[in-house]
Amino acid sequence: CDLDPGAPHGKTVLGLRVVAWYDRAVDEWRVFDDACPHRLAPLSEGRIDDKGRLQCVYHGWCFDGRGSCQFIPQAPALGPPVHKNSKACVASYPSVVQNNILWFYPRADEEHQDILQRKRPPFIPEIDDPSFVTVYGVRDLPYGYDVLVENLMDPAHVPYAHKGLMGKLRKKEDPGRVEFDVEGGGPVKMKIAEADIAGFLSEQDNSGYFRYVAPCTFYGSPLPKEEKGQGKAG
């Protein structure tokens, strides 16, 4: 929903500068290296031409959805077909739209061109379920996804790191405790119902649950896992 199909979009993902653009010829989003092979101008500063090709803003070179150069304006029409030279191609990454998210695989070599047919991105059915409300957000954080996922799975930090933002928290039951702080921190009762290399399921004492699916999907719900209703996936 953040991408306008009428224009290319420059992004930096996993340290890669890429351009996302909509290929009208096949009605699909494409993800390329954000550098024209001619003079390395950012293709994200270019445009979609009248034939639906990605056009470089610097010298007008045009590329199809496979990354092949289709037109070099400065090349004589009756001269050698220099646009077909392999050095005139731009790296094109396998990409797919799933859960209303544009995913790409950061390898452009031939052996990975069918990777998304062999291994799809993580699928979260709740995002496509109209009974759920979906909110998208993007933030740049100076650490890896593993640190963020660990944070999401850590309820003990909430009363302190988010003090005053989460409303009044109920004090945890802890027989024998004589000291309580104003934040309401305390032991969190958790029961690990399932755990293996693929993740874990933790049932909560309030009938809710946490589920982690490796490597980066975390579900938290106030309802039992067999019920359908409010919940969140991160």
Side-chain angles (χ1 to χ4, degrees):
C1 58
D2 295 326
L3 301 176
D4 176 4
H9 302 267
K11 304 289 181 182
T12 300
V13 182
L14 300 176
L16 294 174
R17 292 177 56 240
V18 299
V19 56
W21 66 285
Y22 193 71
D23 184 359
R24 297 201 307 263
V26 291
D27 291 327
E28 292 180 359
W29 284 96
R30 304 291 194 181
V31 178
F32 287 1
D33 265 343
D34 193 12
C36 180
H38 178 212
R39 300 294 294 167
L40 303 182
L43 291 170
S44 57
E45 298 294 328
R47 60 185 68 88
I48 310 301
D49 75 356
D50 58 353
K51 294 181 172 59
R53 302 171 299 193
L54 180 60
Q55 184 183 59
C56 179
V57 71
Y58 198 5
H59 292 91
W61 288 29
C62 296
F63 303 90
D64 65 13
R66 298 169 300 172
S68 299
C69 185
Q70 297 296 304
F71 180 54
I72 297 178
Q74 298 79 13
L78 299 180
V82 291
H83 66 281
K84 294 184 178 181
N85 190 299
S86 61
K87 293 182 179 180
C89 296
V90 61
S92 175
Y93 298 110
S95 59
V96 66
V97 174
Q98 181 172 286
N99 283 145
N100 200 34
I101 299 169
L102 175 58
W103 302 80
F104 76 95
Y105 193 82
R107 296 289 184 275
D109 43 284
E110 188 64 31
E111 67 178 293
H112 291 108
Q113 288 306 301
D114 66 341
I115 186 68
L116 295 176
Q117 282 70 51
R118 294 184 276 120
K119 185 177 182 180
R120 301 287 289 188
F123 177 67
I124 301 173
E126 289 82 358
I127 292 179
D128 293 340
D129 188 336
S131 69
F132 282 75
V133 176
T134 302
V135 178
Y136 291 97
V138 177
R139 290 185 64 185
D140 290 323
L141 301 170
Y143 47 79
Y145 77 87
D146 51 342
V147 176
L148 178 60
V149 172
E150 181 184 48
N151 170 265
L152 292 172
M153 294 189 294
D154 173 20
H157 81 277
V158 172
Y160 305 97
H162 304 286
K163 182 179 180 179
L165 300 178
M166 308 297 288
K168 186 175 178 60
L169 297 173
R170 178 176 61 86
K171 286 185 170 59
K172 309 294 189 299
E173 295 181 9
D174 186 20
R177 173 175 292 221
V178 296
E179 180 179 352
F180 296 89
D181 55 28
V182 295
E183 291 82 7
V188 179
K189 293 182 179 179
M190 300 178 69
K191 177 184 177 183
I192 303 299
E194 303 171 10
D196 56 31
I197 194 172
F200 68 81
L201 170 65
S202 172
E203 297 174 345
Q204 306 300 297
D205 60 353
N206 63 354
S207 297
Y209 71 93
F210 294 144
R211 179 182 288 278
Y212 167 62
V213 181
C216 59
T217 306
F218 177 72
Y219 295 84
S221 174
L223 300 175
K225 61 181 181 300
E226 64 270 9
E227 294 188 22
K228 187 176 183 180
Q230 297 179 356
K232 71 176 181 178

